[in-house]
């Protein structure tokens, strides 16, 4: 397969998502003096963040998820803020009522749900929010999650993605149960719906049997936006076939550009145009008025990481227990994982490329978990975002603030003015739906063809 170097294709500006992880993305961020330590169970905290991101004209907020407490080491677990969090659909539905324009993207696993339930929940969120919903489709990877759903371990990696592809097919079919004008609700004639506008799915596949129809009318934006985050071979293929937004982790611009070109090329093989997909890498920014001040801010957070917390974090990223190994020794050879293959490979590549010890590696990923990390002035941050956006590495970015709410505030007050000065980001919303924010077309109902 050839690798055409696609340039970013948005005619307007880069897309920005606010990735709202509880107290913030740095593993010790909850200890920051201005962090909201009880964020995992504080709804008012999320309301304030969502409204702040909306006032700044972000495309969307994003809530990740794990259906279980992944860290079983109670010593390290007791020293992080990762054990409690809201269920994303519940949280986003509540946030839909206190916001008006910003997109609402939440994670839901194909491994531990049924297609009808997911289709119904996201269709409902889309109706409640007026067309602002997005589904981050994941397959899950932690055995701690599997054990909460009658399994001793996850399904094989390849089988998870095969099942996810069919899962997506069913959900999309259910979202098209009704045409846009299927519900006239005409009191005078007494006709509530038009049966000719109903399409019963009757799906019979390898993994799912679903009759339909969905008992929620068609989305204000046609269908909720589908988001994915896989970067393994199976993940890339599924994303190229089905995703409209891709969240991804890269360490270098060359990795980002290669991934960008690969996905756009694969999409074409599935009859899709490059403009149907927005690629948004995660970016972990630590920003201050000067680079020296930013580096000082970052170092303060780094010094708050207990060794056992750092080792456990890296162990999760590589799906292998590193606690028996010398912390100042090299990353050992790792067995193949049935977990997140692309993230394990990213960690190994980082450690090997830069000659890092276990300690140095966990310090490197303590904030960004493998995503791009940039510490510097507003110009430094904007320079990196502009390079990736203009030179074919990204269509936008998922902003991963070190600590909430202070990190998001820093990005909004320091970096956004610089991006706007360069013509890279909007000053106001141009539309009302998530698709309009992202510049994605509204899908016509299949019957219209």
């Amino acid at each position: 397969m050839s690798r055409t170097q696609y340039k970013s294709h948005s005619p307007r500006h880069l897309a920005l998502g606010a990735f709202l992880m509880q107290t913030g993305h740095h593993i010790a961020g909850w200890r920051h003096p201005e962090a909201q330590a009880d964020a995992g169970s504080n709804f008012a905290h999320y309301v304030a963040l969502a409204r702040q991101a909306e006032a700044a004209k972000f495309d969307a907020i994003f809530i990740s998820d794990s259906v279980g407490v992944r860290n079983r080491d109670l010593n390290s677990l007791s020293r992080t803020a990762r054990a409690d969090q809201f269920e994303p659909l519940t949280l986003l539905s509540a946030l839909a009522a206190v916001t008006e324009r910003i997109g609402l993207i939440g994670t839901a696993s194909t491994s531990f749900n049924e297609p009808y339930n997911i289709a119904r929940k996201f269709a409902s969120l889309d109706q409640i929010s007026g067309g602002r919903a997005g589904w981050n489709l994941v397959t899950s990877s932690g055995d701690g999650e599997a054990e909460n759903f009658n399994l001793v371990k996850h399904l094989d990696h390849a089988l998870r993605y095969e099942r996810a592809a069919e899962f997506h097919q069913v959900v999309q079919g259910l979202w098209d149960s009704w045409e846009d004008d299927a519900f006239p609700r005409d009191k005078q004639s007494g006709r509530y719906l038009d049966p000719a506008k109903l399409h019963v799915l009757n799906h019979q596949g390898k993994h799912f049997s679903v009759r339909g129809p969905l008992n929620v009318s068609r989305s204000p934006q046609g269908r909720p936006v589908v988001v994915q985050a896989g970067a393994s071979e199976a993940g890339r293929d599924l994303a190229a076939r089905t995703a409209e937004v891709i969240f991804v982790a890269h360490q270098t611009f060359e990795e980002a550009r290669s991934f960008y070109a690969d996905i756009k090329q694969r999409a074409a093989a599935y009859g899709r145009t490059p403009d149907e997909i927005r690629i948004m890498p995660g970016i972990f920014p630590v920003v201050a008025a000067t680079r020296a001040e930013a580096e000082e801010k970052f170092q303060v957070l780094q010094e708050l990481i207990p060794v056992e917390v750092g080792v456990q974090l890296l162990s999760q990223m590589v799906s292998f227990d590193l606690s028996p190994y010398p912390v100042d020794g090299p990353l050992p050879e790792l067995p193949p994982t049935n977990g997140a293959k692309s993230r394990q490979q990213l960690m190994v590549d980082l450690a090997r490329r830069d000659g890092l010890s276990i300690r140095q590696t966990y310090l490197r990923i303590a904030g960004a978990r493998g995503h791009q990390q940039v510490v510097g002035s507003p110009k430094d941050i904007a320079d990196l975002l502009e390079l990736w956006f203009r030179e074919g590495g990204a269509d936008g970015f998922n902003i991963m603030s070190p600590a909430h709410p202070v990190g998001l505030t820093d990005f909004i007050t320091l970096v956004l003015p610089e991006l706007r000065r360069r013509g890279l980001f909007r000053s106001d919303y141009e539309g009302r739906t998530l698709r309009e924010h992202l510049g994605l077309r509204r899908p016509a109902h299949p019957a219209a063809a």
Side-chain angles (χ1 to χ4, degrees):
M1 181 184 295
S2 64
R3 289 292 180 265
T4 303
Q5 291 300 314
Y6 292 97
K7 293 294 183 72
S8 297
H9 49 257
S10 171
R12 301 168 301 161
H13 48 68
L14 56 83
L16 288 180
F19 188 164
L20 305 184
M21 176 176 276
Q22 298 119 297
T23 57
H25 286 267
H26 195 281
I27 195 65
W30 72 276
R31 300 178 68 186
H32 189 286
E34 297 178 60
Q36 185 71 42
D38 66 347
S41 56
N42 187 326
F43 176 60
H45 166 74
Y46 280 98
V47 171
L49 289 178
R51 286 175 167 168
Q52 184 181 22
E54 183 172 63
K57 315 306 178 186
F58 274 67
D59 292 72
I61 58 173
F62 168 55
I63 307 295
S64 64
D65 192 35
S66 170
V67 286
V69 177
R70 293 181 179 178
N71 186 351
R72 299 189 179 188
D73 179 77
L74 293 181
N75 185 34
S76 60
L77 179 65
S78 70
R79 308 188 75 176
T80 68
R82 296 289 191 260
D84 58 337
Q85 64 187 90
F86 290 116
E87 189 281 317
L89 269 294
T90 308
L91 175 59
L92 290 173
S93 295
L95 293 176
V98 296
T99 56
E100 296 181 356
R101 305 289 281 276
I102 197 164
L104 307 164
I105 301 173
T107 298
S109 173
T110 61
S111 299
F112 308 119
N113 285 289
E114 288 294 318
Y116 196 94
N117 289 340
I118 291 300
R120 188 179 188 220
K121 289 177 181 179
F122 278 97
S124 296
L125 175 61
D126 216 38
Q127 291 287 355
I128 290 168
S129 65
R132 296 186 280 138
W135 170 34
N136 181 40
L137 184 165
V138 302
T139 63
S140 295
S141 58
D143 285 344
E145 296 173 277
E147 290 171 358
N148 290 331
F149 293 87
N150 300 311
L151 298 170
V152 294
K153 65 177 183 178
H154 271 299
L155 298 174
D156 178 73
H157 185 272
L159 182 58
R160 293 204 305 271
Y161 275 94
E162 176 189 284
R163 187 176 182 277
E166 186 180 339
F167 194 111
H168 169 268
Q169 179 186 355
V170 176
V171 168
Q172 184 161 279
L174 289 170
W175 283 338
D176 288 335
S177 292
W178 305 93
E179 295 181 38
D180 291 315
D181 55 351
F183 292 89
R185 302 183 180 96
D186 187 341
K187 293 183 179 180
Q188 188 65 33
S189 67
R191 193 176 200 189
Y192 188 82
L193 64 87
D194 182 351
K197 306 289 187 178
L198 166 63
H199 300 270
V200 179
L201 182 61
N202 282 323
H203 176 87
Q204 296 290 332
K206 179 178 178 180
H207 300 284
F208 302 104
S209 173
V210 182
R211 179 182 182 274
L214 194 66
N215 60 349
V216 182
S217 59
R218 196 157 192 260
S219 162
Q221 58 177 341
R223 303 184 196 112
V225 174
V226 175
V227 183
Q228 289 178 37
S232 66
E233 183 64 24
R236 290 184 187 215
D237 193 64
L238 181 63
R241 239 189 307 172
T242 65
E244 296 170 289
V245 176
I246 301 175
F247 294 154
V248 66
H250 297 305
Q251 283 291 301
T252 68
F253 170 64
E254 287 307 317
E255 289 174 6
R257 186 162 58 179
S258 174
F259 178 87
Y260 190 101
D262 181 46
I263 291 293
K264 304 292 182 173
Q265 192 78 24
R266 290 179 192 235
Y270 287 110
R272 307 179 71 196
T273 68
D275 202 45
E276 292 180 56
I277 302 175
R278 299 288 181 266
I279 296 177
M280 299 175 62
I283 296 289
F284 175 86
V286 182
V287 60
T290 68
R291 188 179 303 174
E293 290 177 77
E295 290 172 348
E296 183 178 344
K297 286 171 66 172
F298 182 54
Q299 189 57 36
V300 168
L301 285 174
Q302 293 288 81
E303 291 173 357
L304 294 175
I305 306 170
V307 172
E308 61 269 30
V309 169
V311 171
Q312 183 61 33
L313 174 65
L314 184 56
S315 296
Q316 291 173 30
M317 293 294 102
V318 300
S319 303
F320 184 79
D321 183 14
L322 298 171
S323 60
Y325 295 86
V327 71
D328 291 312
L331 193 68
E333 291 298 321
L334 302 175
T337 178
N338 190 40
K341 292 182 181 293
S342 61
R343 193 54 58 93
Q344 183 194 67
Q345 190 61 51
L346 190 151
M347 297 293 115
V348 171
D349 290 346
L350 171 65
R352 301 283 187 262
R353 182 181 65 237
D354 295 348
L356 304 178
S357 66
I358 289 175
R359 186 196 306 272
Q360 290 168 327
T361 305
Y362 79 61
L363 286 172
R364 186 75 68 86
I365 60 100
R369 302 186 307 284
H371 294 270
Q372 177 66 208
Q373 177 175 287
V374 55
V375 180
S377 67
K379 180 181 182 301
D380 293 329
I381 311 294
D383 284 348
L384 183 141
L385 301 188
E386 182 170 17
L387 172 67
W388 286 36
F389 177 64
R390 295 203 186 280
E391 297 301 322
D395 299 308
F397 302 91
N398 222 7
I399 304 304
M400 305 167 58
S401 302
H404 286 137
V406 59
L408 183 60
T409 300
D410 286 346
F411 185 86
I412 289 170
T413 58
L414 296 173
V415 180
L416 284 193
E418 179 64 18
L419 294 177
R420 289 184 172 123
R421 186 186 68 77
R422 302 181 188 198
L424 291 170
F425 192 62
R426 66 167 68 88
S427 295
D428 203 355
Y429 290 115
E430 298 90 355
R432 303 197 69 87
T433 70
L434 178 55
R435 288 185 180 278
E436 289 174 317
H437 299 341
L438 294 169
L440 296 170
R441 66 174 181 84
R442 185 185 191 276
H445 192 281

